[in-house]
Amino acid sequence: MSIKKSLQTYILLLSTIPVIIVTILAYIIASNKYLDLNQESLKATTLVYKDAFESQISSQLIETESVANLNNVKSYLLDKINDSNISLVEASAYYKPVTVDLTTTAKNYGDNVNYYLYDIDGYLVASSTGSTNSGDWFEYMDSSILDFKTSQVLINAAISTTSHKNSIDIISPVVVNNSTIGILRANINVDYFGSFISNKKGNYILCNDDSFLFGMDDLYESDPVLVEKANKIIDDYIKYDSSKDLSGTITNTGTDGYLMYGYSVISKYNWLYITRQDSSA
């Protein structure tokens, strides 16, 4: 009788082994499929966020160029060239139209964008803040005004990194008859980009000089392995793959646990957009 029971138990155990194996395999397959779906979802989200960020940059490029092309701005700078004694004070006929142009444009973006107009000699002659005492060109930049032939997006360009490490500068030359007569600088802070650049939301821009845009370098402490991988991605992209768009995901265990990051190259500037997502979610 005991032999019969032992045989039944043995047969029962044998019959459960395939069930256990199938269950484990099903779990592994389901987990992999979930991970694949999660990765694809994160890649798609990263692309959407990156495109939105690029649109915001493009919008400010267009806005800055538009202001630099205003007749009031050009007329004032031309007269500055013809008569160096002209100054932008309230008594000047140019004070109101130029100042209004700058301040009205800046008001569209709250306190997140300010515009600074410099003459050909680099003197600050107008700003959206209403002050011309915030520093001339060479107090901020180490490049000559004449070096800028087209509009450019600058990061970490300011000499005074303390006051500008949390902002981007968009530079647009004021041009008349193919000659630069001055320059307009739009200074943009991180709040302009909302959640698309946010430490709290886990959205970052890694620049090609291994720094993070707007001084968001906390990832160097919380997840140095991620930063190493991300830097390698952008370095390899610049060296080998700059002819195509590049996006993907990185998984890593940092101080905040097991995390997944989506990334996408911003090819125009060789930056890497990074979005953090908890892969256990």
Side-chain angles (χ1 to χ4, degrees):
M1 188 72 177
S2 60
I3 294 176
K4 183 177 180 181
K5 286 184 177 181
S6 297
L7 184 60
Q8 288 175 336
T9 302
Y10 179 70
I11 293 172
L12 180 62
L13 287 173
L14 285 177
S15 65
T16 59
I17 290 175
V19 176
I20 294 172
I21 293 174
V22 169
T23 301
I24 293 173
L25 289 175
Y27 174 79
I28 292 173
I29 293 171
S31 297
N32 288 336
K33 285 185 176 180
Y34 173 77
L35 181 61
D36 289 342
L37 289 172
N38 207 17
Q39 287 177 328
E40 290 303 314
S41 175
L42 183 55
K43 282 175 60 177
T45 299
T46 305
L47 285 170
V48 170
Y49 280 22
K50 183 219 36 173
D51 289 345
F53 170 79
E54 284 193 278
S55 294
Q56 289 178 304
I57 289 285
S58 296
S59 175
Q60 269 308 310
L61 274 167
I62 294 170
E63 188 78 273
T64 306
E65 289 174 348
S66 296
V67 175
N69 281 318
L70 290 174
N71 288 331
N72 289 331
V73 171
K74 290 183 176 182
S75 296
Y76 172 67
L77 292 175
L78 281 173
D79 279 351
K80 283 283 291 182
I81 291 174
N82 295 329
D83 184 355
S84 60
N85 292 321
I86 291 179
S87 61
L88 198 63
V89 294
E90 290 192 33
S92 168
Y94 299 96
Y95 176 81
K96 185 174 181 180
V98 173
T99 303
V100 167
D101 286 337
L102 298 181
T103 55
T104 301
T105 305
K107 283 179 181 179
N108 294 329
Y109 310 102
D111 296 324
N112 300 325
V113 183
N114 277 303
Y115 299 92
Y116 301 87
L117 180 65
Y118 304 86
D119 66 16
I120 191 63
D121 297 315
Y123 293 110
L124 178 64
V125 295
S127 76
S128 59
T129 65
S131 171
T132 57
N133 297 319
S134 56
D136 296 322
W137 178 261
F138 289 108
E139 294 181 53
Y140 288 101
M141 302 293 176
D142 57 6
S143 299
S144 168
I145 286 176
L146 295 177
D147 289 342
F148 297 93
K149 306 301 181 185
T150 60
S151 298
Q152 294 184 33
V153 177
L154 302 182
I155 57 167
N156 300 328
I159 295 173
S160 178
T161 55
T162 300
S163 61
H164 283 277
K165 70 177 183 178
N166 292 325
S167 61
I168 290 177
D169 287 311
I170 291 181
I171 308 299
S172 184
V174 182
V175 179
V176 174
N177 294 330
N178 296 320
S179 296
T180 299
I181 62 171
I183 204 159
L184 184 69
R185 177 171 68 93
N187 185 253
I188 309 168
N189 69 36
V190 66
D191 294 331
Y192 168 78
F193 298 99
S195 61
F196 297 119
I197 301 294
S198 169
N199 202 341
K200 184 178 180 180
K201 297 290 186 181
N203 298 324
Y204 306 88
I205 299 288
L206 179 64
C207 304
N208 55 18
D209 62 355
D210 297 343
S211 68
F212 282 89
L213 207 58
F214 300 113
M216 294 183 178
D217 294 331
D218 62 294
L219 283 178
Y220 274 103
E221 294 184 8
S222 64
D223 203 340
V225 175
L226 162 77
V227 177
E228 183 180 350
K229 291 179 179 179
N231 275 321
K232 187 176 187 308
I233 289 170
I234 196 66
D235 289 344
D236 288 347
Y237 173 81
I238 293 172
K239 289 178 182 177
Y240 310 115
D241 297 318
S242 58
S243 61
K244 62 180 181 180
D245 290 332
L246 181 66
S247 61
T249 58
I250 303 171
T251 55
N252 194 51
T253 302
T255 57
D256 294 329
Y258 185 62
L259 296 171
M260 183 184 296
Y261 300 85
Y263 67 83
S264 184
V265 169
I266 302 175
S267 56
K268 188 173 183 178
Y269 308 112
N270 287 331
W271 297 346
L272 195 68
Y273 192 95
I274 299 173
T275 302
R276 182 183 66 222
Q277 177 181 306
D278 187 345
S279 60
S280 65

